[in-house]
């Protein structure tokens, strides 16, 4: 059967050729022959004339004659093998599911780093696109977090060098255990020309491995490139990059290669030297990097001396090393030269960033407060407790709110709810949250977090947990901000801070709250702290101009100890929660928020308030006094007025 089919195919082909397709087939065959001849000629031409770029200029005498020890020698074959390592995209992870909050690629801003420091008084040299390398290499070592200071180094490549390809070399991807250090995820999600490439060797931290590997990548590239070590920030492109073929910037006395920048105009083939000579040439013309303190001092000295007419190369080193640890909160409002550069790199603008107050005296956060009371047991009534009663009254008589809205799925009942019949209190029926971005929401805390954001987005005002009592009105100048929040007191490992939104203020349509809701694209039901406490802070880091942090907004009390956030030492671990804190006065905070134990166990009756001596008991007494002063004694019926 096989032979028969073969003969049949041949016969049919002959018939087709005979019916007018001979000419087309001949044209096709002729085209293939010409293509093969062209390819062979191109290969022969490259062998005869390997250097089609301008002839390399011999490097000038090095500023620093000593070569770095520890640079190993490898053959050209080794370099070519390493260059052929396939690109390796990292597999999806939990951190990758976090929705992108900030796009570093499209938010370049309209400044340059030099302009961010000196304004229009001093500018760096302008380079044509063809004068700069188009490929940047970043070598990552070790199994560790990709921290914010590491991210700034990569961002300097993105914003200052603006390469067409950024290759992230790694033997082990950055850790992502606690989901705070998501800078690497932001990089992957927002940089279209990022290439993740696994190394074929181990890159040991604290050695010369990273520099050695980086030089090998530059050698393997036809047009050289730029190698960046960890935490090395390029502040501007120096004029020397137009004049020299190789330049290296490193920290003085460094025994390792992470804090390094290497510029190479050519790869190994174009340079016409051996690989070892290529490495030696790259390291001969070496200049010093500076740390943050040195950088700030240099810029201030130049600014104060008025020597801004000099070339930027004579004023400022282009390599800055950030030792860390560094967090966005350190740079958001910093007035130092480094703060200006870091803000430009991350936020795209150099000026201090903060929420702005409205100039319109009528544009204020509405004087209304919202409380959520959901009924997890649908077959049982929702009985308003005495402590909830006191919380509502504190908003009306001490907080200065004109109305309190109770949002719930079941109308409250009981003696204390009945007493509020003629007060400025309104029950609003609301559906329980079932899903967020098509994900089931089963945890009550998450349901409440989502609802409070939706409510404040729609109506504006204040949100208060049922276990919070207002102690004083919110000042008008605070109500001029678009949204107002406050820190939590718990030290949560790698997270520099966290938020507690149990007391929160917002105008309708708050940008911050929209971003907060977007963070629920990654909803973690097994840990309510992540979405409700940690992610609110992460949103602030990315959008600091949308939220004003008022450390006096609320004081959180836990196991009988209150933690004023305006005190420098307010943060501590949960194991240290019972240790006393410094004293403060009630009028220093707008609200007391008792998270554990709940006020239900403390504010049980009028008698308990009058006999107690804690700060919460004293606040309860102030609420009763304010009610009596208003003339509404029926609200405190049963209290011993003589003791007030």
């Amino acid at each position: 059967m096989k032979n028969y089919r073969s003969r049949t195919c041949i016969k049919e082909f002959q018939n087709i050729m005979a019916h007018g397709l001979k000419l087309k087939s001949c044209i096709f065959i002729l085209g293939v022959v010409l293509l093969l001849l062209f390819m062979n000629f191109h290969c022969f031409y490259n062998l005869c004339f390997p250097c089609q770029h301008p002839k390399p200029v011999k490097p000038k005498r090095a500023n620093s004659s000593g070569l770095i020890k520890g640079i190993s020698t490898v053959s050209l074959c080794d370099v070519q093998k390493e260059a052929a390592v396939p690109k390796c995209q990292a597999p999806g992870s939990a951190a990758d599911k976090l929705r992108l909050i900030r796009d570093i690629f499209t938010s370049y801003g309209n400044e340059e780093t030099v302009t961010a420091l000196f304004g229009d008084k001093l500018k760096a040299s302008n380079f044509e696109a063809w004068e700069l390398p188009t490929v940047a290499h970043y070598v990552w070592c070790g199994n560790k977090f990709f921290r914010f200071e590491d991210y700034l180094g990569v961002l300097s490549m993105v914003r200052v060098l603006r390469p067409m390809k950024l290759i992230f070399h790694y033997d082990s991807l950055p850790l992502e255990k606690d989901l705070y250090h998501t800078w690497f995820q932001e990089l992957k999600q927002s940089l279209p020309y990022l290439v993740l490439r696994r190394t074929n060797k181990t890159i040991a931290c604290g050695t010369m491995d990273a520099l050695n590997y980086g030089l090998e990548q530059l050698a393997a590239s036809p047009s050289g490139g730029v190698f960046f070590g960890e935490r090395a920030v390029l502040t501007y492109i120096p004029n020397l990059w137009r004049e020299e073929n190789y330049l290296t910037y490193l920290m003085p006395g460094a025994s390792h290669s992470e804090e390094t920048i290497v510029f190479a105009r050519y790869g190994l083939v174009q340079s016409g030297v051996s690989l070892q000579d290529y490495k030696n040439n790259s390291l001969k013309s070496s200049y010093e990097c500076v740390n943050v303190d040195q950088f700030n001092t240099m810029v201030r000295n130049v600014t104060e001396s008025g020597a801004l007419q000099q070339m930027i190369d004579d004023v400022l080193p282009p390599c800055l090393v950030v030792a860390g640890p560094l967090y966005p909160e350190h740079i958001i409002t910093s007035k130092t030269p480094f703060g200006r550069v870091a803000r430009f790199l991350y936020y795209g603008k150099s000026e201090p960033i903060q929420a702005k107050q409205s100039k319109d005296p009528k544009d204020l956060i509405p004087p209304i407060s919202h409380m959520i009371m959901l009924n997890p047991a649908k077959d049982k009534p929702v009985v308003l407790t005495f402590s909830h009663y006191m919380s509502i009254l504190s908003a009306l008589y001490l907080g200065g709110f004109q109305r309190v809205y109770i949002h719930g799925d079941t109308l409250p009942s009981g003696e204390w709810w009945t007493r509020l019949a003629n007060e400025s209190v309104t029950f609003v029926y609301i559906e329980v949250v079932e899903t967020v971005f098509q994900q089931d929401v089963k945890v009550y805390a998450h349901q409440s977090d989502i609802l409070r954001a939706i409510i404040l987005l729609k109506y504006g005002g204040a949100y208060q947990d049922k276990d919070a009592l207002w102690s004083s009105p919110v000042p008008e100048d605070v109500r001029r901000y678009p949204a107002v929040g406050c820190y939590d007191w718990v030290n949560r490992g790698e997270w520099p801070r966290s938020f507690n939104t149990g007391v929160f203020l917002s105008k309708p349509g708050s940008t911050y709250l929209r971003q907060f809701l977007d963070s629920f694209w990654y909803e973690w039901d097994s840990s309510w702290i992540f979405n409700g406490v940690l992610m609110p802070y992460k949103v602030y880091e990315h959008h600091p101009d949308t939220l004003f942090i008022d450390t006096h907004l609320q004081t959180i009390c836990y196991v009988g100890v209150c933690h004023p956030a305006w005190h420098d030492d307010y943060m501590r671990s949960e194991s240290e929660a019972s240790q006393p804190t410094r004293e403060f006065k009630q009028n220093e905070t707008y609200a007391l928020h008792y998270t554990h134990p709940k006020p239900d166990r403390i504010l049980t009756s009028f008698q308990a308030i009058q006999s107690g001596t804690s700060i919460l008991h004293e606040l309860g007494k102030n609420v009763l006094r304010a009610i009596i002063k208003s003339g509404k004694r029926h609200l405190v019926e049963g209290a011993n007025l003589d003791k007030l």
Side-chain angles (χ1 to χ4, degrees):
M1 186 66 69
K2 270 187 178 181
N3 292 335
Y4 172 75
R5 286 180 178 174
S6 299
R7 288 194 300 271
T8 301
C9 290
I10 293 171
K11 187 174 181 179
E12 288 178 355
F13 177 76
Q14 291 173 341
N15 290 335
I16 291 172
M17 293 290 290
H19 284 81
L21 295 181
K22 286 185 178 181
L23 180 60
K24 292 183 179 179
S25 300
C26 291
I27 292 174
F28 173 77
I29 294 171
L30 180 62
V32 172
V33 171
L34 290 174
L35 178 62
L36 292 174
L37 288 173
F38 173 78
M39 292 174 64
N40 288 332
F41 172 78
H42 182 70
C43 295
F44 173 78
Y45 186 80
N46 282 338
L47 287 173
C48 296
F49 308 99
C51 298
Q52 298 307 310
H53 300 276
K55 187 177 180 180
V57 181
K58 186 177 180 180
K60 297 180 181 179
R61 185 177 298 276
N63 290 9
S64 173
S65 58
L67 297 180
I68 298 180
K69 297 180 180 179
I71 301 299
S72 61
T73 303
V74 296
S75 67
L76 177 58
C77 294
D78 292 331
V79 175
Q80 291 171 339
K81 288 177 182 177
E82 290 179 15
V85 174
K87 303 171 186 177
C88 179
Q89 184 69 31
S93 62
D96 285 330
K97 296 178 183 177
L98 288 172
R99 182 166 182 171
L100 172 67
I101 299 178
R102 183 167 194 81
D103 187 345
I104 57 125
F105 179 62
T106 58
S107 59
Y108 276 113
N110 56 3
E111 295 179 295
E112 296 178 351
T113 45
V114 177
T115 306
L117 286 171
F118 302 108
D120 295 329
K121 297 178 181 179
L122 184 66
K123 287 185 177 293
S125 302
N126 291 321
F127 282 79
E128 298 292 340
W130 56 267
E131 293 183 283
L132 295 173
T134 60
V135 180
H137 298 270
Y138 186 87
V139 180
W140 177 254
C141 73
N143 192 25
K144 59 190 179 185
F145 290 117
F146 187 76
R147 305 180 64 91
F148 186 62
E149 55 266 28
D150 299 311
Y151 194 27
L152 283 183
V154 176
L155 287 178
S156 72
M157 286 194 268
V158 174
R159 293 197 187 278
V160 180
L161 182 62
R162 298 191 179 185
M164 298 178 66
K165 180 186 289 187
L166 194 163
I167 304 177
F168 188 98
H169 302 273
Y170 70 95
D171 62 336
S172 180
L173 284 172
L175 294 176
E176 46 189 39
K177 290 181 180 178
D178 62 356
L179 297 183
Y180 170 73
H181 297 290
T182 56
W183 319 113
F184 187 58
Q185 279 65 43
E186 287 183 36
L187 188 68
K188 290 192 293 183
Q189 291 179 19
S190 64
L191 205 61
Y193 52 75
L194 175 68
V195 176
L196 301 183
R197 184 172 293 173
R198 186 185 295 275
T199 63
N200 59 0
K201 61 175 66 174
T202 300
I203 306 296
C205 297
T207 68
M208 304 311 297
D209 286 358
L211 178 57
N212 187 48
Y213 192 82
L215 289 175
E216 291 167 8
Q217 305 314 304
L218 298 180
S221 174
S223 57
V226 180
F227 160 73
F228 280 74
E230 296 176 23
R231 298 177 297 279
V233 173
L234 180 67
T235 57
Y236 71 98
I237 299 175
N239 196 50
L240 283 174
W241 286 25
R242 180 182 282 120
E243 303 171 0
E244 302 281 359
N245 293 328
Y246 311 100
L247 288 166
T248 298
Y249 303 88
L250 35 83
M251 286 296 288
S255 60
H256 53 85
S257 60
E258 282 88 358
E259 302 164 348
T260 309
I261 297 177
V262 179
F263 159 77
R265 190 180 304 279
Y266 307 110
L268 183 61
V269 174
Q270 287 75 19
S271 66
V273 298
S274 68
L275 180 59
Q276 186 59 46
D277 287 341
Y278 180 89
K279 291 184 176 183
N280 292 341
N281 291 338
S282 301
L283 297 173
K284 278 180 181 178
S285 296
S286 60
Y287 295 81
E288 292 184 356
C289 297
V290 295
N291 60 34
V292 171
D293 291 337
Q294 292 171 324
F295 180 81
N296 288 335
T297 300
M298 285 178 160
V299 174
R300 286 172 180 149
N301 289 342
V302 171
T303 304
E304 292 170 2
S305 67
L308 294 181
Q309 301 305 316
Q310 304 177 49
M311 283 297 295
I312 184 65
D313 294 53
D314 300 326
V315 174
L316 201 64
C319 176
L320 166 65
V321 173
V322 184
L326 183 74
Y327 296 95
E329 68 172 6
H330 297 147
I331 68 169
I332 289 173
T333 59
S334 171
K335 297 180 180 179
T336 66
F338 169 72
R340 296 180 65 86
V341 168
R343 273 194 302 272
F344 162 73
L345 293 177
Y346 185 56
Y347 293 107
K349 50 188 175 183
S350 60
E351 293 302 317
I353 304 172
Q354 54 191 354
K356 295 181 179 180
Q357 294 173 299
S358 172
K359 296 181 180 179
D360 184 352
K362 297 181 180 179
D363 184 17
L364 302 175
I365 293 173
I368 56 177
S369 186
H370 304 274
M371 184 183 289
I372 295 174
M373 298 187 69
L374 298 177
N375 185 9
K378 302 299 182 183
D379 56 337
K380 297 180 180 180
V382 173
V383 179
L384 192 76
T385 67
F386 178 75
S387 68
H388 297 161
Y389 176 73
M390 292 298 296
S391 177
I392 295 170
L393 292 178
S394 74
L396 294 172
Y397 292 94
L398 288 184
F401 295 100
Q402 296 177 3
R403 182 164 291 276
V404 176
Y405 292 92
I406 311 298
H407 302 265
D409 55 347
T410 304
L411 183 68
S413 60
E415 174 189 358
W416 306 112
W417 180 253
T418 303
R419 289 203 188 193
L420 294 172
N422 296 318
E423 292 299 299
S424 299
V425 179
T426 302
F427 176 79
V428 180
Y429 180 82
I430 191 169
E431 292 280 351
V432 176
V433 173
E434 297 181 52
T435 64
V436 58
F437 297 114
Q438 299 81 54
Q439 303 171 86
D440 291 337
V441 181
K442 299 178 181 178
V443 177
Y444 172 81
H446 283 179
Q447 294 173 349
S448 176
D449 292 335
I450 295 167
L451 280 177
R452 76 187 63 171
I454 293 173
I455 290 168
L456 290 177
L457 272 171
K458 184 174 183 179
Y459 303 107
Y463 171 79
Q464 62 180 92
D465 273 349
K466 301 185 295 290
D467 49 14
L469 275 77
W470 294 93
S471 57
S472 61
V474 178
E476 183 177 303
D477 64 321
V478 175
R479 291 172 56 207
R480 290 177 181 268
Y481 289 102
V484 184
C486 185
Y487 296 128
D488 201 354
W489 64 272
V490 185
N491 187 330
R492 302 189 185 278
E494 288 291 324
W495 289 77
R497 297 182 195 266
S498 58
F499 281 164
N500 185 304
T501 59
V503 177
F504 195 86
L505 308 175
S506 172
K507 293 179 181 178
S510 161
T511 300
Y512 174 83
L513 289 177
R514 293 181 187 277
Q515 297 292 343
F516 170 62
L517 279 177
D518 272 353
S519 72
F520 275 88
W521 271 92
Y522 184 71
E523 192 263 342
W524 194 358
D525 251 354
S526 62
S527 174
W528 70 268
I529 291 176
F530 177 73
N531 287 102
V533 176
L534 300 178
M535 284 307 290
Y537 178 75
K538 195 71 168 175
V539 172
Y540 166 72
E541 278 190 334
H542 288 75
H543 304 278
D545 58 337
T546 64
L547 178 73
F548 174 67
I549 297 176
D550 189 339
T551 55
H552 296 267
L553 177 62
Q554 65 171 326
T555 298
I556 300 173
C557 302
Y558 183 80
V559 295
V561 178
C562 298
H563 305 269
W566 62 89
H567 288 173
D568 294 337
D569 57 349
Y570 81 96
M571 285 185 68
R572 57 182 64 188
S573 64
E574 289 194 61
S575 62
E576 302 170 318
S578 59
Q579 296 181 10
T581 58
R582 286 181 284 162
E583 293 184 1
F584 66 97
K585 298 178 180 179
Q586 279 185 39
N587 60 6
E588 292 184 274
T589 186
Y590 311 144
L592 286 181
H593 186 184
Y594 272 69
T595 57
H596 181 78
K598 299 296 183 182
D600 285 346
R601 298 171 58 181
I602 304 171
L603 302 183
T604 57
S605 65
F606 291 130
Q607 291 72 27
I609 290 176
Q610 293 173 303
S611 61
T613 58
S614 72
I615 190 172
L616 183 58
H617 289 110
E618 294 302 319
L619 177 54
K621 293 172 186 176
N622 286 343
V623 175
L624 299 182
R625 293 187 187 104
I627 293 172
I628 294 170
K629 187 177 180 179
S630 72
K632 297 185 177 182
R633 290 174 174 257
H634 66 282
L635 293 174
V636 294
E637 184 180 341
N640 188 342
L641 303 184
D642 294 334
K643 291 187 177 182
L644 295 174

